[in-house]
Amino acid sequence: MSDPLKDSSNDIEKLSQEVARLNAHRFIRLHDSTWRLMWFNFLRGLAFGFGSVAGATIVVSIVGYILNQIEVVPIIGEWAKQIAAEIMTDTTSTGDGN
């Protein structure tokens, strides 16, 4: 029969090795320092913000291009022209500083 005390000691040693391995992991080391964690989250926020703006710009430009090409359909084409005209007047009125 195996000795229960020896088995428990062996299990505790294995658990201790796993905890030491976990503490040495990069993710844990990153969260160990407040400044490193703040820097990481700052960079993550910058990347998220830039990705959101770039993605929205691409989507809006594609939708604008498609709306510009819909001139074949009379009702939707006129509606798209009105939207494009409004956008152009808004951009020119805000461009002069007013």
Side-chain angles (χ1 to χ4, degrees):
M1 279 193 144
S2 64
D3 184 19
L5 187 58
K6 187 176 182 180
D7 289 342
S8 295
S9 175
N10 194 14
D11 289 342
I12 290 173
E13 180 63 32
K14 287 180 183 177
L15 183 61
S16 176
Q17 289 172 356
E18 287 298 318
V19 168
R21 191 179 76 118
L22 179 65
N23 283 335
H25 194 273
R26 182 175 166 263
F27 182 77
I28 299 298
R29 285 184 297 151
L30 176 72
H31 288 83
D32 192 31
S33 168
T34 304
W35 293 108
R36 241 185 296 173
L37 180 62
M38 287 173 39
W39 178 249
F40 174 75
N41 282 326
F42 174 73
L43 292 177
R44 194 176 119 209
L46 282 177
F48 178 78
F50 177 73
S52 298
V53 169
T57 302
I58 291 170
V59 168
V60 167
S61 65
I62 290 173
V63 168
Y65 178 77
I66 291 171
L67 284 176
N68 196 16
Q69 300 300 317
I70 298 182
E71 294 180 32
V72 177
V73 181
I75 296 171
I76 297 176
E78 287 300 317
W79 180 67
K81 281 183 187 178
Q82 288 174 353
I83 291 175
E86 284 294 322
I87 290 172
M88 292 307 288
T89 56
D90 284 346
T91 56
T92 55
S93 67
T94 58
D96 63 356
N98 292 333

